[in-house]
Amino acid sequence: MVKEMSRQEPIPSARRDVRGSGNGSLRKFAYEQIEDLLNSGRLKPGQLISQRELVDLTGATLGSIRESVPRFEAEGLLVTVPKKGLMVPSLDVTFVRDAYQVRRMIEYTAVPDMIRRFDDRTIAAFIDKQKALEAELLENGPNASPQLLDLIQREDWNMHAAFVRTMSNRLIDNIYRVTAIKIRMAVQSRLQVTGDNAERILGEHYKILEALAARDQEKTERALMQHIDNSLHIALGGNIDRIR
């Protein structure tokens, strides 16, 4: 079992001022900060952590942390261990395969809505963001900063979530979000954007976005499924160079 996390600085987004936000906003803030800890791998499968440690890590209030815990438990993202605190559940290879199948089904189903509902300006904005990140990546070469790599990682997450949102189905949105978090919890160390793989990931994004800009459903589906299949292959310990 992973040892309890030592006290660290709150994650950057936790430093914004939430005073006067009201109980609902405080609870939402606490939830989002814990979610980010799970997404980023700062909370790891098998790890035990107390609610007070989560206060230190997130900058949220103890009350809002306590109010957020039942939702995480219901979603299977945290488990209460009596007299010990909260534990991040461990997820096996079978789960990863199943989760990717769910992800694949949802994003494939979203493609017609992506083509119909994304206007040219929105697609161009995605492409411009990719180009800006790629330019900064190439400028820094192999010495890309952790901050830049984190931006590329989050842009990947945000772009895929935006694809799913075109379906305008809150139930599917939530299933996709929770499934994506669990995938990152299980295999984030393998999927993490690095100086070695960032250019490839951006290239795969371009293929999706260029097909989407052309309103070519078949090419969009093919590029998107290849991107997801590559991710699964790596998540299971494969090497991208072996993918044809």
Side-chain angles (χ1 to χ4, degrees):
M1 182 175 292
V2 180
K3 293 181 180 179
E4 292 190 15
M5 177 181 291
S6 58
R7 294 193 178 188
Q8 302 176 39
E9 286 296 312
I11 52 181
S13 57
R15 292 172 184 162
R16 58 188 171 181
D17 192 350
V18 294
R19 289 174 295 181
S21 301
N23 290 338
S25 295
L26 289 172
R27 182 169 57 249
K28 181 174 183 291
F29 175 82
Y31 183 93
E32 289 173 348
Q33 302 316 301
I34 298 172
E35 179 182 19
D36 197 81
L37 291 171
L38 293 168
N39 276 328
S40 65
R42 290 183 68 188
L43 290 180
K44 296 176 172 56
Q47 180 174 340
L48 282 167
I49 190 165
S50 70
Q51 292 184 5
R52 291 194 178 277
E53 285 176 310
L54 286 175
V55 170
D56 293 338
L57 286 167
T58 64
T61 65
L62 180 58
S64 63
I65 293 290
R66 285 174 175 164
E67 290 177 353
S68 300
V69 167
R71 181 177 172 188
F72 282 107
E73 291 180 311
E75 293 171 341
L77 297 173
L78 289 175
V79 177
T80 295
V81 180
K83 300 182 180 180
K84 292 186 177 180
L86 299 167
M87 185 176 72
V88 182
S90 297
L91 303 166
D92 60 16
V93 171
T94 299
F95 168 80
V96 173
R97 290 184 185 276
D98 291 348
Y100 265 94
Q101 185 175 28
V102 171
R103 179 187 172 188
R104 205 176 192 278
M105 290 169 58
I106 291 175
E107 293 196 51
Y108 183 86
T109 303
V111 171
D113 291 298
M114 290 159 55
I115 291 173
R116 184 171 64 254
R117 295 185 176 180
F118 277 143
D119 57 25
D120 292 343
R121 183 179 299 179
T122 300
I123 298 170
F126 278 128
I127 293 174
D128 288 345
K129 185 60 178 281
Q130 298 291 313
K131 287 181 177 178
L133 291 170
E134 184 178 45
E136 190 172 350
L137 179 69
L138 293 175
E139 181 180 348
N140 288 274
N143 300 315
S145 69
Q147 291 78 13
L148 174 58
L149 297 175
D150 184 63
L151 282 174
I152 295 172
Q153 179 77 83
R154 291 176 187 277
E155 180 61 19
D156 176 83
W157 297 345
N158 292 337
M159 186 181 72
H160 284 281
F163 290 167
V164 175
R165 283 198 300 272
T166 61
M167 299 174 74
S168 298
N169 186 315
R170 293 179 64 184
L171 179 59
I172 290 176
D173 281 351
N174 195 56
I175 292 170
Y176 180 83
R177 181 186 62 81
V178 173
T179 300
I181 294 170
K182 288 181 177 179
I183 289 172
R184 293 164 199 153
M185 286 164 55
V187 288
Q188 182 60 19
S189 60
R190 294 176 185 163
L191 297 178
Q192 189 171 13
V193 173
T194 67
D196 295 327
N197 66 22
E199 190 172 355
R200 174 188 59 78
I201 291 169
L202 291 172
E204 291 177 5
H205 289 173
Y206 278 132
K207 288 183 179 179
I208 298 167
L209 294 169
E210 287 168 358
L212 188 56
R215 310 297 173 181
D216 188 321
Q217 180 172 332
E218 183 178 348
K219 284 186 178 179
T220 303
E221 289 170 348
R222 188 162 58 247
L224 182 57
M225 293 303 99
Q226 185 64 64
H227 180 54
I228 294 172
D229 288 346
N230 286 355
S231 180
L232 172 59
H233 185 81
I234 293 168
L236 296 177
N239 189 313
I240 193 68
D241 294 333
R242 299 175 188 169
I243 297 176
R244 298 184 183 277

